[in-house]
Amino acid sequence: MRLGVPALAHLPQECRPLIAPGAVPTGIVHLGLGAFHRAHQAVYTEEAVAAAGGDWGIAGVAPRSVTVLDALREQDRLFSVTSVSARGSATHVVGAFSALVHAASDPEAVVRLIADPAVRVVTLTITEKGYAPGSAALGLLVRGLLARRHADSGPVAVLSCDNVPANGRHLRGLVHRAAGDDAREWLSDQVTFPGTMVDRIVPAATAGSLARAAGALGVEDRAAVSGEPYRQWVIEDDFPGGRPAWERAGAVLTVDAQPWERLKLRSLNGVHSAIAYLGALAGCETIAQALTLPGLRALLTRLITEDIAPSLRPPDGITVAGYGESVLTRFADPALGHRTVQVAMDGSQKLPQRVLHTIQDRRAAGSIPRWAVLVVAAWMRFVQGRADDGRELPLDDPMAAEIRDRLAAAPGTPEGVVDALLGLRAIFPADLAEDDVVRALLVDWLTALSKHGVEATLAGAS
């Protein structure tokens, strides 16, 4: 039996959805139907509606792929989320989706949804690469907002839930520029762009995670997702048309999400990337396995305390060292099975906010961020496509062709590789690329990684 309305009566009581599927009208449009949204914002929204009510069903929009969309349609828009840790797991079904749309085949349906006066919130998880000017998702968002203006449908809040610095402000700038001068006054009056910080480790689905969900439910769920028990959502509270009571589900409402966002991007996402590149090069399949490499955890602690902590001011009551230690503990849980190559993908889009901003801030302060530069050197070694044992590494990146072309044209020395990749202005700004101290340190680290491998480099780090 497949998950769906007929199967609900057969589910264990603790697995059943908090709200009946289809019982809550649409109040939110979400662009991006990936695993993270389903394990994060959809869960918060269902819990908020169950606790405080409101017409806040989610119309989920799949930009391109139909794999998850078809599974959800066949399952009456239901899916399960399994919280997994070394202590065990717990599975529950989520009924937050009120509608589903495939943007590539029916873009006008997306425009109509965003223009609908019943919709007062639009959320996005389109990954860092989705914020390139002219992207399809941004184009649909702008078209929908312009249609909303034409229909006089009332105010709306648009929330980026992606790991983009100052994500709300950044999205606002992109939308205002794309919409044109005629719409800017209306956008300023009627549309807000609250900043957010989102956090939950959600690995890609595997045969094992799908089997775990089926075992807990007693039925098959082809849209099942799993993640760590920990989750966090920090939201700037600026919603002119109202919002779900997300705070009833544990979200933090604030006037400024940027201190939380910067802390997470650098101390969690940046550290995640460090583990992914070094771990993949060393032949480690998962993040937890990589953390067992001799010397890696100590090096990451130095990265957090010596490079990242001085580069930012954390939220009140939080220390960067304490936050970073909790992050390492979360990453070390072997039950998650988070693959290093999954975290390593799209490095050209992730490096700036995760690592390069730390380096720039420390250089501006006159310091040498040695450990953060090692992360960049590990990426430069990773994109060459071979692990320390000679195994091929995948380069899943929007700039893969340009990266390969530059490497092919460069001398095969550490100096040649560093100079070739520093020339990628879409990744490395001029002030960083032309910094002789950073370049020399990159060459030193890349030389060590290339000649001796990750484990010997970690052993010799001091």
Side-chain angles (χ1 to χ4, degrees), residues 168-259:
R169 293 164 181 78
H170 183 64
L171 181 58
R172 181 183 187 275
L174 291 171
V175 169
H176 277 239
R177 286 191 291 274
D181 293 340
D182 290 347
R184 285 179 185 168
E185 183 177 352
W186 177 84
L187 286 168
S188 296
D189 289 343
Q190 295 290 309
V191 185
T192 62
F193 295 85
T196 69
M197 184 276 273
V198 296
D199 189 5
R200 189 177 194 181
I201 299 172
V202 182
T206 64
S209 66
L210 295 177
R212 183 191 296 118
L217 298 172
V219 298
E220 183 184 18
D221 176 9
R222 294 183 185 173
V225 294
S226 62
E228 64 173 336
Y230 179 91
R231 70 185 192 198
Q232 188 174 42
W233 195 6
V234 179
I235 311 167
E236 292 175 353
D237 197 1
D238 189 9
F239 293 83
R243 60 167 175 79
W246 283 314
E247 68 276 15
R248 297 285 296 273
V252 175
L253 279 297
T254 183
V255 296
D256 185 8
Q258 284 200 72

Side-chain angles (χ1 to χ4, degrees), residues 128-144:
E128 293 93 337
K129 59 189 173 186
Y131 291 81
S135 76
L138 287 175
L140 274 179
L141 173 62
V142 171
R143 287 181 58 197

Side-chain angles (χ1 to χ4, degrees), residues 333-356:
D333 191 333
L336 289 173
H338 209 177
R339 298 174 65 232
T340 52
V341 293
Q342 181 193 354
V343 180
M345 67 187 293
D346 297 338
S348 68
Q349 313 297 300
K350 294 174 178 177
L351 274 179
Q353 57 265 26
R354 294 184 175 201
V355 182
L356 301 187

Side-chain angles (χ1 to χ4, degrees), residues 67-328:
T67 303
V68 171
L69 184 73
D70 287 347
L72 288 169
R73 283 174 170 168
E74 292 169 6
Q75 296 176 179
D76 302 318
R77 302 188 297 273
L78 296 171
F79 66 95
S80 66
V81 178
T82 300
S83 295
V84 182
S85 74
R87 296 183 298 275
S89 63
T91 302
H92 74 281
V93 172
V94 177
F97 287 125
S98 54
L100 296 168
V101 179
H102 184 229
S105 62
D106 196 359
E108 296 307 317
V110 182
V111 172
R112 289 193 298 271
L113 276 170
I114 296 174
D116 188 335
V119 170
R120 288 95 76 204
V121 176
V122 178
T123 55
L124 299 85
T125 50
I126 55 176
T127 75
E128 293 93 337
K129 59 189 173 186
Y131 291 81
S135 76
L138 287 175
L140 274 179
L141 173 62
V142 171
R143 287 181 58 197
L145 291 174
L146 292 177
R148 189 177 186 91
R149 175 196 181 207
H150 181 76
D152 193 22
S153 296
V156 65
V158 181
L159 275 75
S160 166
C161 298
D162 287 297
N163 291 318
V164 176
N167 56 10
R169 293 164 181 78
H170 183 64
L171 181 58
R172 181 183 187 275
L174 291 171
V175 169
H176 277 239
R177 286 191 291 274
D181 293 340
D182 290 347
R184 285 179 185 168
E185 183 177 352
W186 177 84
L187 286 168
S188 296
D189 289 343
Q190 295 290 309
V191 185
T192 62
F193 295 85
T196 69
M197 184 276 273
V198 296
D199 189 5
R200 189 177 194 181
I201 299 172
V202 182
T206 64
S209 66
L210 295 177
R212 183 191 296 118
L217 298 172
V219 298
E220 183 184 18
D221 176 9
R222 294 183 185 173
V225 294
S226 62
E228 64 173 336
Y230 179 91
R231 70 185 192 198
Q232 188 174 42
W233 195 6
V234 179
I235 311 167
E236 292 175 353
D237 197 1
D238 189 9
F239 293 83
R243 60 167 175 79
W246 283 314
E247 68 276 15
R248 297 285 296 273
V252 175
L253 279 297
T254 183
V255 296
D256 185 8
Q258 284 200 72
W260 294 95
E261 169 208 276
R262 193 172 293 114
L263 175 70
K264 192 248 182 175
L265 282 172
R266 299 187 186 188
S267 304
L268 187 147
N269 297 117
V271 171
H272 218 188
S273 291
I275 302 168
Y277 296 128
L278 291 166
L281 289 169
C284 299
E285 293 292 329
T286 68
I287 294 293
Q289 182 187 357
L291 272 170
T292 67
L293 290 170
L296 181 55
R297 184 156 183 160
L299 185 145
L300 295 170
T301 298
R302 297 192 71 175
L303 167 66
I304 293 164
T305 58
E306 297 177 18
D307 290 351
I308 296 172
S311 78
L312 59 86
R313 180 177 179 179
D316 291 343
I318 304 292
T319 68
V320 178
Y323 180 87
E325 187 61 31
S326 71
V327 162
L328 293 177

Side-chain angles (χ1 to χ4, degrees), residues 352-364:
Q353 57 265 26
R354 294 184 175 201
V355 182
L356 301 187
H357 290 174
T358 295
I359 296 173
Q360 287 176 289
D361 286 348
R362 297 305 294 139
R363 291 299 294 138

